[in-house]
Amino acid sequence: MRVDVEDTVTGGRIVRRTLTRNVRRVSVGTLLICIHQLAETAVPITLGWIIDSAITSGDPTWFAVSILGLAALFLCLTTAYQFGMRSLNVALQHEAHRIRMEVTGRILDPRGLDTSLRGGELLTISSTDAEQSAWFLDLFPRIAAAATAVVATAVALMIIDVPLGLAIFIGTPIFVAVLQLVAPRVTRRAAEQQRTVAEATALATDLVSGHRSIEGIGAETEAATRYRRASAKALGAALLTARSLATQLGITTGVSAVVAATVAGLAGYFALVGRITVGELIAVVGLAQFLIEPLGVLSSIPAVVARARASADRVALVLGADRILDHGTEHIMGQRLDLAFRGVAHRSLQAIDLDIASGEIVAILAYGPEDAESIVAVLSGQVSPADIAGDVLLAGIPTRDIDLAHVRASIVVEPHVSDLFADTVKNNITAGRGHTDRDLDGALRASGADQIVASHADGLEQRLTERGANLSGGQRQRIALARALFAEPPVLVLHEPTTAVDSVTEHAVARGIATLRHGPTVRTPKTTIIVTTSPALLSVADRVVVLRDGRIAADAPHSVLLELADDYAEAVLR
């Protein structure tokens, strides 16, 4: 059965966890940013006071002291802002990195991930969404700072004149209420935009990775049409989001301007009738102008919150997904690794019983490609036990009970389509393993990849592009096969490893695999299972297991089947 996560992971929980584990840096940063806003609020008040006291009095000494005080105020607000934003940015970047690593680790967990998300969507979540989920570390401090600025401004205006302060206390709730009216629509549209963009990215990833196959079947027009539709859908969602944001910005900017203009107008009238001084008028006008900034910050918050929360929800889809497999506890190192199927049923397979002794090279020929894919999936160990009936035994122990690391080390499955990495040929084959050059030479010869190395001036140091796109299909197959052989696993499963090579190379590869893994110089018995229809590979197997309609139809040497089974000969001879 699938392995459930310990606790339900939601976007809200991601947000709370993000804030909790960065509480120290966020608290310090928020405090310093609030101090910065208080100092900003104090600037116009200080200027008004200087005009009313130092300038009016005509005392140069007092004026100089006042200017020094103003300079100290600017030093305070600048220092508070720099250290506050530094603390918040450090927290944000560290948290974004931490979420990226958590998402990536979850995706790459050997126990698998039970999700319908495609590769491109997972890529978007592990990069863009992981970063945007950390935005809350910057959002809440900005909200706190903006609220501090609004309250400080209102209090200062209240001290100067009560009606001026009341204008802020009354206008701000109206402003916030307007934000709440438009926030839900912005949130929905931002989430829809991110979803459609992720879908378009996933489709683009699939098309790029499979562009050679698409060209091979002449489906470029259909592929382009599908991507054009997905991109147009993403564009439509982006335009709707932009329209909502523009509407919101226009409304909130207008409301904030009205609030600021009302305060400045009242102050001007009060100055004309002698209710407030010239210095107080300047202070009020400065505060009204300054007020536009925190109100602007508040107006932008719903859109940013919408994007960050949508990203947190998408991160939760990965972090909250069930694991497909569980860790067993049994160890099998040093034992004879016989492999057996007992009543195995999965997809098209129906109650398969099969024994493969350690040291055998067994070929499996499936008349239906669905049977071949099903048995490779079972052997890969990446299918949930809930989706498989029966048992796969390794050294007599069900694989579900064996420690997962031991299973992965004992059974290596090289799929029909393998990915190469943007690195050298050597690093693609060795993958960081510390074997000798002799081991590498053996894997190169057996796979036919030595021809690829010899044909390029850089040899093993030849650089491959992403997914090995600068190689032909046959060259990619041989490099991937060399990587599998170089790993020297006790049990190696190959799925159609030579479909893209010519017949001469195919025969050489078949002999190379048999010699490298089962030749007279091999000390430790190794098992090789080749799922194939290639007569060259079938001929080097000790026996061939034939699958028809999900069941074993025959189990005999290749030569015997050629003589006794007409349909077998017809299927493999070409």
Side-chain angles (χ1 to χ4, degrees), residues 99-256:
I99 296 175
R100 282 195 298 269
M101 296 303 294
E102 288 174 343
V103 172
T104 303
R106 187 76 178 185
I107 293 170
L108 298 179
D109 192 310
R111 289 171 290 179
L113 195 67
D114 183 21
T115 179
S116 60
L117 295 169
R118 291 186 292 174
E121 292 177 287
L122 292 173
L123 177 63
T124 301
I125 293 173
S126 65
S127 54
T128 304
D129 288 316
E131 180 177 352
Q132 292 181 356
S133 296
W135 283 359
F136 285 99
L137 298 179
D138 184 60
L139 282 170
F140 287 112
R142 288 185 183 275
I143 294 172
T148 298
V150 171
V151 171
T153 299
V155 170
L157 291 176
M158 186 78 76
I159 293 173
I160 294 174
D161 195 275
V162 173
L164 296 177
L166 288 176
I168 301 301
F169 279 119
I170 295 173
T172 301
I174 296 175
F175 181 81
V176 173
V178 171
L179 291 181
Q180 291 302 314
L181 290 176
V182 299
R185 174 178 293 184
V186 173
T187 301
R188 288 194 303 271
R189 290 185 172 176
E192 177 65 14
Q193 177 191 355
Q194 288 174 278
R195 185 184 67 79
T196 55
V197 168
E199 289 179 352
T201 302
L203 181 57
T205 302
D206 293 342
L207 293 179
V208 170
S209 62
H211 75 281
R212 286 184 181 268
S213 300
I214 292 171
E215 290 176 354
I217 62 175
E220 299 97 320
T221 302
E222 176 62 23
T225 300
R226 290 189 180 185
Y227 181 71
R228 193 177 295 111
R229 289 176 189 154
S231 183
K233 186 177 180 181
L235 174 62
L239 291 176
L240 283 175
T241 304
R243 191 176 298 122
S244 297
L245 291 174
T247 302
Q248 176 206 37
L249 181 61
I251 293 173
T252 54
T253 300
V255 172
S256 61

Side-chain angles (χ1 to χ4, degrees), residues 517-529:
R517 291 186 57 81
H518 302 273
T521 59
V522 177
R523 296 180 180 179
T524 304
K526 295 183 176 67
T527 303
T528 305
I529 302 171

Side-chain angles (χ1 to χ4, degrees), residues 498-499 501-511 534-537 574:
T498 58
T499 53
V501 302
D502 60 81
S503 59
V504 174
T505 303
E506 187 174 43
H507 279 83
V509 169
R511 291 191 301 270
S534 162
L537 292 169
R574 58 190 187 198

